[in-house]
Amino acid sequence: MSTPAVFLDRDGVINKGVMDEELGQYESPYHAADVELEDGAAEGLRALRELGWPLIVISNQPSAAKGIVSLAELWEVHDRVVELLAEEGVALDDWRYCFHHPQGEVPQLSGPCPCRKPQAGLLRAAAERHGIDLERSWMIGDTDRDVGAGRAAGTRTVLVENPRSAHKRSGEAGESFLAPDLAAAASIVVAEAGGS
């Protein structure tokens, strides 16, 4: 039996983006000490947990490929997000990352790959692993790439309009719904699940 799932982007949805002074815009945290949960994130995840569906993070993490930080530092950031969620009584079912970048500086992490959003590779692999019905599932993210990956996988989508990641949205992603944060996105998913 296959089940629906909720796929979630991480940075800008679950935890806050951090200002990259060099780029002049908000990006993924590079260090564990910089990790903070987004307002409403734990509340939203608890509401989604009530559905009884798998909750799976699907996230591009290219900063090691770009030579900004090490993979070890990225895993420390991951561990800190997990730890902060645990303090809120929330545990997710799976975490799937794409560490590649098409123009990376680290050879083994560079070049095209099927797992980097907006490709659907990570969602499809998770669906196979967990017995997920993608057509009944959701992707919640704050960028065009998140919506693109959800659409490519056949899920419904919620675009979180986080002001810090506005530079990653065109206004033409074709999302199913819009929400200001994860708590509101969760309310949409729960309401739609109740009506299906």
Side-chain angles (χ1 to χ4, degrees):
M1 280 292 289
S2 58
T3 178
V6 180
F7 299 100
L8 304 118
D9 180 50
R10 193 189 74 184
D11 309 308
V13 175
I14 295 173
N15 59 272
K16 294 181 179 179
V18 175
M19 176 56 75
D20 181 318
E21 299 297 347
E22 228 172 277
L23 294 174
Q25 59 196 28
Y26 288 93
E27 292 295 336
S28 307
Y30 301 142
H31 307 288
D34 297 331
V35 176
E36 282 182 75
L37 295 182
E38 282 282 3
D39 297 340
E43 174 194 339
L45 291 169
R46 281 193 288 266
L48 291 170
R49 178 55 77 206
E50 292 292 311
L51 291 170
W53 300 350
L55 305 181
I56 299 170
V57 166
I58 302 287
S59 179
N60 291 350
Q61 294 293 327
S63 49
K66 294 177 181 178
I68 297 169
V69 293
S70 67
L71 271 177
E73 286 171 299
L74 289 184
W75 282 114
E76 287 170 6
V77 169
H78 162 82
D79 290 342
R80 183 61 178 150
V81 177
V82 172
E83 186 180 11
L84 289 175
L85 288 175
E87 288 172 10
E88 296 283 346
V90 177
L92 304 188
D93 297 284
D94 201 353
W95 301 77
R96 291 181 176 252
Y97 296 116
C98 172
F99 293 111
H100 307 111
H101 192 273
Q103 291 89 41
E105 294 180 12
V106 177
Q108 64 269 33
L109 296 175
S110 300
C113 71
C115 62
R116 182 173 164 79
K117 294 179 293 187
Q119 307 290 336
L122 289 179
L123 288 91
R124 291 200 175 113
E128 197 170 311
R129 166 76 177 79
H130 296 280
I132 290 163
D133 181 346
L134 287 168
E135 288 188 3
R136 294 164 59 215
S137 297
W138 292 78
M139 175 76 209
I140 300 173
D142 63 327
T143 73
D144 288 359
R145 288 183 179 279
D146 300 323
V147 172
R151 290 182 67 188
T155 73
R156 298 170 84 184
T157 55
V158 184
L159 182 63
V160 172
E161 295 183 292
N162 188 326
R164 291 184 173 198
S165 52
H167 61 288
K168 298 181 180 182
R169 295 190 296 273
S170 67
E172 298 172 8
E175 66 283 337
S176 310
F177 295 92
L178 292 168
D181 57 24
L182 182 49
S187 296
I188 291 168
V189 174
V190 169
E192 289 290 310
S196 62

